[in-house]
Amino acid sequence: MLERNSPGVRSSNRTRGRYEGRVAVVTGAASGIGKAIAEQLSAEGAIVVANDLNAEGLGQLQGANIHTVASDIAVPATAGQLVEAATTVGAGRIDALFNNAGISVNGPAETFAMEDWRRVMDINLDAAFRVAIAVGQVMIEQRSGAILNTASPAGMFGIPNSIAYVVSKHGLVGLTRGLAVEWGQHGIRVNAICPGLTATGMNTQLRAERPGRWSDREARTPLRRGGVPSDQAATALFLNSDEAAYTTGQVAAVDGGQHALYSGYAVAFR
Ligand code: NAI
């Protein structure tokens, strides 16, 4: 077994956590779920490399040992920059990757613009693959590591008006299972979360402009509430921690029970 928590990456004066001294990369870390993941990692003692397009949002992240890389994850060079940053601050290691950046472009399939399709694929799927491969090379060398992809219910089911998002998230679920199968031999685990309705930057406009639609979706959730970013971060951190050491290739719906309800029924149908 490899040594973890090498002396070069330990930090002091902090309660020991599951991630004490671990080196983690988080994409899409300036807002919503990625921000909650980055800040919780920091609170648990990780050395965090946080990426986002939004430099201002990255600058507002709270916590110790957070190093920021403000760049577009869809630009191929970004994957190498993240590995460079993480191995520099982490004495050559990368223990955990959270492939979280994502966008949605809405519109009917029959008129969906190819440029929107390309942008969604570039960010949600191609970039996740590229970063996983770049980080995976470090993990293969060290013979350990864990990768968590933020997928979506749209990675398991169809949702209307979001064809590129649906296809990209199905691809991310496939990436999760495919890499889990290939990289188990290297001691690398790969899992995904599928966040149900979660209050983040992605749906600020919906919540502000169509509160009835938001509350309707909450009412159709068995736990009767929408999720918050910390709900997602809790499961994401668990899956990338040693507590989940025998779990790989899993796609966890973190959705208040939405996936358990057949859509032909209302939650309180009698
Ligand atoms: P958010 O909009 O609050 O956060 C997404 C972050 O990704 C933003 O900070 C944004 O600047 C960043 N980002 C976008 N494009 C980028 C790029 N090219 N390079 C680097 N960073 C980029 O939204 P949220 O909800 O926190 O999204 C996180 C993930 O969760 C996404 O993959 C999304 O598809 C997924 N998700 C969210 C759900 C929800 O209800 N909020 C439901 C299902 C999945």
PDB file of all heavy atoms in Angstrom, residues 150-179:
ATOM      1  N   THR A 150     -20.192  14.535 -11.467  1.00  0.00           N
ATOM      2  CA  THR A 150     -21.536  15.043 -11.194  1.00  0.00           C
ATOM      3  C   THR A 150     -22.365  14.855 -12.456  1.00  0.00           C
ATOM      4  O   THR A 150     -22.225  15.604 -13.426  1.00  0.00           O
ATOM      5  CB  THR A 150     -21.519  16.527 -10.782  1.00  0.00           C
ATOM      6  OG1 THR A 150     -20.600  16.697  -9.691  1.00  0.00           O
ATOM      7  CG2 THR A 150     -22.901  16.971 -10.336  1.00  0.00           C
ATOM      8  N   ALA A 151     -23.198  13.839 -12.448  1.00  0.00           N
ATOM      9  CA  ALA A 151     -24.078  13.579 -13.590  1.00  0.00           C
ATOM     10  C   ALA A 151     -25.419  14.254 -13.328  1.00  0.00           C
ATOM     11  O   ALA A 151     -25.444  15.436 -12.938  1.00  0.00           O
ATOM     12  CB  ALA A 151     -24.215  12.079 -13.819  1.00  0.00           C
ATOM     13  N   SER A 152     -26.506  13.563 -13.495  1.00  0.00           N
ATOM     14  CA  SER A 152     -27.837  14.182 -13.359  1.00  0.00           C
ATOM     15  C   SER A 152     -28.887  13.093 -13.530  1.00  0.00           C
ATOM     16  O   SER A 152     -28.613  12.062 -14.162  1.00  0.00           O
ATOM     17  CB  SER A 152     -28.019  15.236 -14.461  1.00  0.00           C
ATOM     18  OG  SER A 152     -29.370  15.652 -14.551  1.00  0.00           O
ATOM     19  N   PRO A 153     -30.121  13.327 -13.047  1.00  0.00           N
ATOM     20  CA  PRO A 153     -31.199  12.431 -13.454  1.00  0.00           C
ATOM     21  C   PRO A 153     -31.300  12.369 -14.978  1.00  0.00           C
ATOM     22  O   PRO A 153     -31.720  11.362 -15.545  1.00  0.00           O
ATOM     23  CB  PRO A 153     -32.450  13.081 -12.838  1.00  0.00           C
ATOM     24  CG  PRO A 153     -31.920  13.850 -11.669  1.00  0.00           C
ATOM     25  CD  PRO A 153     -30.568  14.362 -12.094  1.00  0.00           C
ATOM     26  N   ALA A 154     -30.863  13.460 -15.642  1.00  0.00           N
ATOM     27  CA  ALA A 154     -30.842  13.484 -17.109  1.00  0.00           C
ATOM     28  C   ALA A 154     -29.796  12.528 -17.674  1.00  0.00           C
ATOM     29  O   ALA A 154     -29.723  12.346 -18.894  1.00  0.00           O
ATOM     30  CB  ALA A 154     -30.583  14.909 -17.606  1.00  0.00           C
ATOM     31  N   GLY A 155     -29.008  11.923 -16.809  1.00  0.00           N
ATOM     32  CA  GLY A 155     -28.075  10.885 -17.242  1.00  0.00           C
ATOM     33  C   GLY A 155     -28.692   9.497 -17.177  1.00  0.00           C
ATOM     34  O   GLY A 155     -28.077   8.517 -17.591  1.00  0.00           O
ATOM     35  N   MET A 156     -29.916   9.434 -16.612  1.00  0.00           N
ATOM     36  CA  MET A 156     -30.584   8.134 -16.490  1.00  0.00           C
ATOM     37  C   MET A 156     -31.949   8.128 -17.173  1.00  0.00           C
ATOM     38  O   MET A 156     -32.481   7.072 -17.487  1.00  0.00           O
ATOM     39  CB  MET A 156     -30.757   7.782 -15.009  1.00  0.00           C
ATOM     40  CG  MET A 156     -29.424   7.655 -14.275  1.00  0.00           C
ATOM     41  SD  MET A 156     -29.593   6.941 -12.637  1.00  0.00           S
ATOM     42  CE  MET A 156     -30.340   8.312 -11.757  1.00  0.00           C
ATOM     43  N   PHE A 157     -32.521   9.317 -17.352  1.00  0.00           N
ATOM     44  CA  PHE A 157     -33.855   9.442 -17.940  1.00  0.00           C
ATOM     45  C   PHE A 157     -33.849  10.578 -18.955  1.00  0.00           C
ATOM     46  O   PHE A 157     -32.952  11.420 -18.946  1.00  0.00           O
ATOM     47  CB  PHE A 157     -34.895   9.803 -16.853  1.00  0.00           C
ATOM     48  CG  PHE A 157     -34.938   8.814 -15.726  1.00  0.00           C
ATOM     49  CD1 PHE A 157     -34.310   9.101 -14.519  1.00  0.00           C
ATOM     50  CD2 PHE A 157     -35.589   7.602 -15.866  1.00  0.00           C
ATOM     51  CE1 PHE A 157     -34.346   8.193 -13.469  1.00  0.00           C
ATOM     52  CE2 PHE A 157     -35.625   6.686 -14.822  1.00  0.00           C
ATOM     53  CZ  PHE A 157     -35.005   6.980 -13.627  1.00  0.00           C
ATOM     54  N   GLY A 158     -34.888  10.634 -19.767  1.00  0.00           N
ATOM     55  CA  GLY A 158     -35.073  11.801 -20.631  1.00  0.00           C
ATOM     56  C   GLY A 158     -35.733  12.921 -19.859  1.00  0.00           C
ATOM     57  O   GLY A 158     -36.564  12.667 -18.972  1.00  0.00           O
ATOM     58  N   ILE A 159     -35.343  14.151 -20.116  1.00  0.00           N
ATOM     59  CA  ILE A 159     -36.097  15.307 -19.614  1.00  0.00           C
ATOM     60  C   ILE A 159     -36.340  16.219 -20.819  1.00  0.00           C
ATOM     61  O   ILE A 159     -35.528  16.235 -21.750  1.00  0.00           O
ATOM     62  CB  ILE A 159     -35.386  16.061 -18.464  1.00  0.00           C
ATOM     63  CG1 ILE A 159     -34.013  16.583 -18.889  1.00  0.00           C
ATOM     64  CG2 ILE A 159     -35.237  15.183 -17.239  1.00  0.00           C
ATOM     65  CD1 ILE A 159     -33.392  17.526 -17.866  1.00  0.00           C
ATOM     66  N   PRO A 160     -37.440  16.943 -20.815  1.00  0.00           N
ATOM     67  CA  PRO A 160     -37.782  17.703 -22.018  1.00  0.00           C
ATOM     68  C   PRO A 160     -36.896  18.932 -22.215  1.00  0.00           C
ATOM     69  O   PRO A 160     -36.369  19.492 -21.254  1.00  0.00           O
ATOM     70  CB  PRO A 160     -39.236  18.127 -21.763  1.00  0.00           C
ATOM     71  CG  PRO A 160     -39.418  18.064 -20.291  1.00  0.00           C
ATOM     72  CD  PRO A 160     -38.475  17.030 -19.767  1.00  0.00           C
ATOM     73  N   ASN A 161     -36.769  19.331 -23.474  1.00  0.00           N
ATOM     74  CA  ASN A 161     -36.134  20.607 -23.832  1.00  0.00           C
ATOM     75  C   ASN A 161     -34.653  20.691 -23.495  1.00  0.00           C
ATOM     76  O   ASN A 161     -34.127  21.790 -23.308  1.00  0.00           O
ATOM     77  CB  ASN A 161     -36.855  21.769 -23.110  1.00  0.00           C
ATOM     78  CG  ASN A 161     -37.762  22.519 -24.049  1.00  0.00           C
ATOM     79  OD1 ASN A 161     -37.949  22.116 -25.196  1.00  0.00           O
ATOM     80  ND2 ASN A 161     -38.300  23.626 -23.581  1.00  0.00           N
ATOM     81  N   SER A 162     -33.997  19.583 -23.381  1.00  0.00           N
ATOM     82  CA  SER A 162     -32.606  19.596 -22.920  1.00  0.00           C
ATOM     83  C   SER A 162     -31.806  18.481 -23.594  1.00  0.00           C
ATOM     84  O   SER A 162     -31.039  17.791 -22.934  1.00  0.00           O
ATOM     85  CB  SER A 162     -32.558  19.367 -21.408  1.00  0.00           C
ATOM     86  OG  SER A 162     -33.404  20.242 -20.725  1.00  0.00           O
ATOM     87  N   ILE A 163     -31.954  18.315 -24.901  1.00  0.00           N
ATOM     88  CA  ILE A 163     -31.416  17.122 -25.547  1.00  0.00           C
ATOM     89  C   ILE A 163     -29.895  16.982 -25.375  1.00  0.00           C
ATOM     90  O   ILE A 163     -29.394  15.897 -25.074  1.00  0.00           O
ATOM     91  CB  ILE A 163     -31.840  17.053 -27.043  1.00  0.00           C
ATOM     92  CG1 ILE A 163     -31.462  15.720 -27.645  1.00  0.00           C
ATOM     93  CG2 ILE A 163     -31.266  18.209 -27.863  1.00  0.00           C
ATOM     94  CD1 ILE A 163     -32.193  14.538 -27.057  1.00  0.00           C
ATOM     95  N   ALA A 164     -29.161  18.076 -25.528  1.00  0.00           N
ATOM     96  CA  ALA A 164     -27.696  17.969 -25.406  1.00  0.00           C
ATOM     97  C   ALA A 164     -27.304  17.635 -23.962  1.00  0.00           C
ATOM     98  O   ALA A 164     -26.386  16.843 -23.713  1.00  0.00           O
ATOM     99  CB  ALA A 164     -27.030  19.267 -25.846  1.00  0.00           C
ATOM    100  N   TYR A 165     -28.011  18.231 -23.021  1.00  0.00           N
ATOM    101  CA  TYR A 165     -27.744  17.958 -21.598  1.00  0.00           C
ATOM    102  C   TYR A 165     -27.999  16.481 -21.290  1.00  0.00           C
ATOM    103  O   TYR A 165     -27.180  15.814 -20.648  1.00  0.00           O
ATOM    104  CB  TYR A 165     -28.642  18.871 -20.756  1.00  0.00           C
ATOM    105  CG  TYR A 165     -28.340  18.881 -19.279  1.00  0.00           C
ATOM    106  CD1 TYR A 165     -27.198  19.504 -18.780  1.00  0.00           C
ATOM    107  CD2 TYR A 165     -29.207  18.293 -18.368  1.00  0.00           C
ATOM    108  CE1 TYR A 165     -26.927  19.524 -17.417  1.00  0.00           C
ATOM    109  CE2 TYR A 165     -28.954  18.310 -17.006  1.00  0.00           C
ATOM    110  CZ  TYR A 165     -27.811  18.935 -16.537  1.00  0.00           C
ATOM    111  OH  TYR A 165     -27.550  18.952 -15.190  1.00  0.00           O
ATOM    112  N   VAL A 166     -29.135  15.982 -21.771  1.00  0.00           N
ATOM    113  CA  VAL A 166     -29.493  14.575 -21.535  1.00  0.00           C
ATOM    114  C   VAL A 166     -28.415  13.646 -22.112  1.00  0.00           C
ATOM    115  O   VAL A 166     -27.956  12.709 -21.443  1.00  0.00           O
ATOM    116  CB  VAL A 166     -30.874  14.258 -22.166  1.00  0.00           C
ATOM    117  CG1 VAL A 166     -31.131  12.755 -22.211  1.00  0.00           C
ATOM    118  CG2 VAL A 166     -31.988  14.972 -21.401  1.00  0.00           C
ATOM    119  N   VAL A 167     -28.000  13.916 -23.340  1.00  0.00           N
ATOM    120  CA  VAL A 167     -27.018  13.043 -23.993  1.00  0.00           C
ATOM    121  C   VAL A 167     -25.663  13.158 -23.286  1.00  0.00           C
ATOM    122  O   VAL A 167     -24.983  12.157 -23.031  1.00  0.00           O
ATOM    123  CB  VAL A 167     -26.915  13.372 -25.493  1.00  0.00           C
ATOM    124  CG1 VAL A 167     -25.794  12.569 -26.151  1.00  0.00           C
ATOM    125  CG2 VAL A 167     -28.243  13.079 -26.186  1.00  0.00           C
ATOM    126  N   SER A 168     -25.269  14.376 -22.921  1.00  0.00           N
ATOM    127  CA  SER A 168     -23.969  14.552 -22.253  1.00  0.00           C
ATOM    128  C   SER A 168     -23.948  13.850 -20.898  1.00  0.00           C
ATOM    129  O   SER A 168     -22.951  13.229 -20.515  1.00  0.00           O
ATOM    130  CB  SER A 168     -23.633  16.045 -22.082  1.00  0.00           C
ATOM    131  OG  SER A 168     -24.472  16.654 -21.111  1.00  0.00           O
ATOM    132  N   LYS A 169     -25.060  13.912 -20.166  1.00  0.00           N
ATOM    133  CA  LYS A 169     -25.078  13.293 -18.829  1.00  0.00           C
ATOM    134  C   LYS A 169     -25.186  11.773 -18.921  1.00  0.00           C
ATOM    135  O   LYS A 169     -24.628  11.063 -18.081  1.00  0.00           O
ATOM    136  CB  LYS A 169     -26.205  13.898 -17.981  1.00  0.00           C
ATOM    137  CG  LYS A 169     -25.997  15.387 -17.641  1.00  0.00           C
ATOM    138  CD  LYS A 169     -24.756  15.638 -16.787  1.00  0.00           C
ATOM    139  CE  LYS A 169     -24.652  17.077 -16.309  1.00  0.00           C
ATOM    140  NZ  LYS A 169     -23.490  17.327 -15.445  1.00  0.00           N
ATOM    141  N   HIS A 170     -25.896  11.258 -19.944  1.00  0.00           N
ATOM    142  CA  HIS A 170     -25.842   9.808 -20.170  1.00  0.00           C
ATOM    143  C   HIS A 170     -24.400   9.397 -20.474  1.00  0.00           C
ATOM    144  O   HIS A 170     -23.933   8.345 -20.021  1.00  0.00           O
ATOM    145  CB  HIS A 170     -26.758   9.398 -21.338  1.00  0.00           C
ATOM    146  CG  HIS A 170     -28.183   9.119 -20.940  1.00  0.00           C
ATOM    147  ND1 HIS A 170     -29.064  10.105 -20.586  1.00  0.00           N
ATOM    148  CD2 HIS A 170     -28.873   7.959 -20.859  1.00  0.00           C
ATOM    149  CE1 HIS A 170     -30.248   9.564 -20.298  1.00  0.00           C
ATOM    150  NE2 HIS A 170     -30.143   8.258 -20.452  1.00  0.00           N
ATOM    151  N   GLY A 171     -23.694  10.226 -21.238  1.00  0.00           N
ATOM    152  CA  GLY A 171     -22.296   9.932 -21.541  1.00  0.00           C
ATOM    153  C   GLY A 171     -21.441   9.910 -20.286  1.00  0.00           C
ATOM    154  O   GLY A 171     -20.542   9.075 -20.129  1.00  0.00           O
ATOM    155  N   LEU A 172     -21.736  10.826 -19.370  1.00  0.00           N
ATOM    156  CA  LEU A 172     -20.956  10.896 -18.132  1.00  0.00           C
ATOM    157  C   LEU A 172     -21.190   9.655 -17.261  1.00  0.00           C
ATOM    158  O   LEU A 172     -20.259   9.162 -16.597  1.00  0.00           O
ATOM    159  CB  LEU A 172     -21.366  12.172 -17.382  1.00  0.00           C
ATOM    160  CG  LEU A 172     -20.401  12.802 -16.398  1.00  0.00           C
ATOM    161  CD1 LEU A 172     -19.007  12.977 -16.973  1.00  0.00           C
ATOM    162  CD2 LEU A 172     -20.966  14.155 -15.936  1.00  0.00           C
ATOM    163  N   VAL A 173     -22.408   9.152 -17.284  1.00  0.00           N
ATOM    164  CA  VAL A 173     -22.688   7.894 -16.565  1.00  0.00           C
ATOM    165  C   VAL A 173     -21.900   6.754 -17.217  1.00  0.00           C
ATOM    166  O   VAL A 173     -21.296   5.921 -16.532  1.00  0.00           O
ATOM    167  CB  VAL A 173     -24.209   7.608 -16.542  1.00  0.00           C
ATOM    168  CG1 VAL A 173     -24.496   6.183 -16.078  1.00  0.00           C
ATOM    169  CG2 VAL A 173     -24.917   8.614 -15.633  1.00  0.00           C
ATOM    170  N   GLY A 174     -21.850   6.739 -18.536  1.00  0.00           N
ATOM    171  CA  GLY A 174     -21.054   5.719 -19.234  1.00  0.00           C
ATOM    172  C   GLY A 174     -19.577   5.861 -18.927  1.00  0.00           C
ATOM    173  O   GLY A 174     -18.865   4.858 -18.735  1.00  0.00           O
ATOM    174  N   LEU A 175     -19.107   7.100 -18.862  1.00  0.00           N
ATOM    175  CA  LEU A 175     -17.695   7.345 -18.521  1.00  0.00           C
ATOM    176  C   LEU A 175     -17.395   6.787 -17.121  1.00  0.00           C
ATOM    177  O   LEU A 175     -16.346   6.178 -16.880  1.00  0.00           O
ATOM    178  CB  LEU A 175     -17.409   8.853 -18.572  1.00  0.00           C
ATOM    179  CG  LEU A 175     -15.986   9.287 -18.246  1.00  0.00           C
ATOM    180  CD1 LEU A 175     -15.021   8.818 -19.337  1.00  0.00           C
ATOM    181  CD2 LEU A 175     -15.901  10.807 -18.097  1.00  0.00           C
ATOM    182  N   THR A 176     -18.331   6.995 -16.218  1.00  0.00           N
ATOM    183  CA  THR A 176     -18.168   6.522 -14.836  1.00  0.00           C
ATOM    184  C   THR A 176     -18.006   4.999 -14.809  1.00  0.00           C
ATOM    185  O   THR A 176     -17.069   4.463 -14.204  1.00  0.00           O
ATOM    186  CB  THR A 176     -19.407   6.922 -14.006  1.00  0.00           C
ATOM    187  OG1 THR A 176     -19.536   8.349 -14.059  1.00  0.00           O
ATOM    188  CG2 THR A 176     -19.298   6.454 -12.569  1.00  0.00           C
ATOM    189  N   ARG A 177     -18.923   4.314 -15.476  1.00  0.00           N
ATOM    190  CA  ARG A 177     -18.882   2.842 -15.433  1.00  0.00           C
ATOM    191  C   ARG A 177     -17.680   2.303 -16.214  1.00  0.00           C
ATOM    192  O   ARG A 177     -17.018   1.363 -15.774  1.00  0.00           O
ATOM    193  CB  ARG A 177     -20.190   2.280 -15.988  1.00  0.00           C
ATOM    194  CG  ARG A 177     -21.374   2.609 -15.074  1.00  0.00           C
ATOM    195  CD  ARG A 177     -22.677   2.069 -15.629  1.00  0.00           C
ATOM    196  NE  ARG A 177     -23.769   2.297 -14.690  1.00  0.00           N
ATOM    197  CZ  ARG A 177     -24.994   2.669 -15.049  1.00  0.00           C
ATOM    198  NH1 ARG A 177     -25.295   2.855 -16.323  1.00  0.00           N
ATOM    199  NH2 ARG A 177     -25.927   2.852 -14.125  1.00  0.00           N
ATOM    200  N   GLY A 178     -17.406   2.922 -17.363  1.00  0.00           N
ATOM    201  CA  GLY A 178     -16.296   2.434 -18.191  1.00  0.00           C
ATOM    202  C   GLY A 178     -14.954   2.586 -17.497  1.00  0.00           C
ATOM    203  O   GLY A 178     -14.132   1.659 -17.489  1.00  0.00           O
ATOM    204  N   LEU A 179     -14.722   3.749 -16.879  1.00  0.00           N
ATOM    205  CA  LEU A 179     -13.448   3.955 -16.183  1.00  0.00           C
ATOM    206  C   LEU A 179     -13.356   3.095 -14.930  1.00  0.00           C
ATOM    207  O   LEU A 179     -12.281   2.596 -14.592  1.00  0.00           O
ATOM    208  CB  LEU A 179     -13.274   5.437 -15.809  1.00  0.00           C
ATOM    209  CG  LEU A 179     -12.968   6.409 -16.957  1.00  0.00           C
ATOM    210  CD1 LEU A 179     -12.824   7.830 -16.421  1.00  0.00           C
ATOM    211  CD2 LEU A 179     -11.723   6.003 -17.734  1.00  0.00           C
TER     212      LEU A 179
END
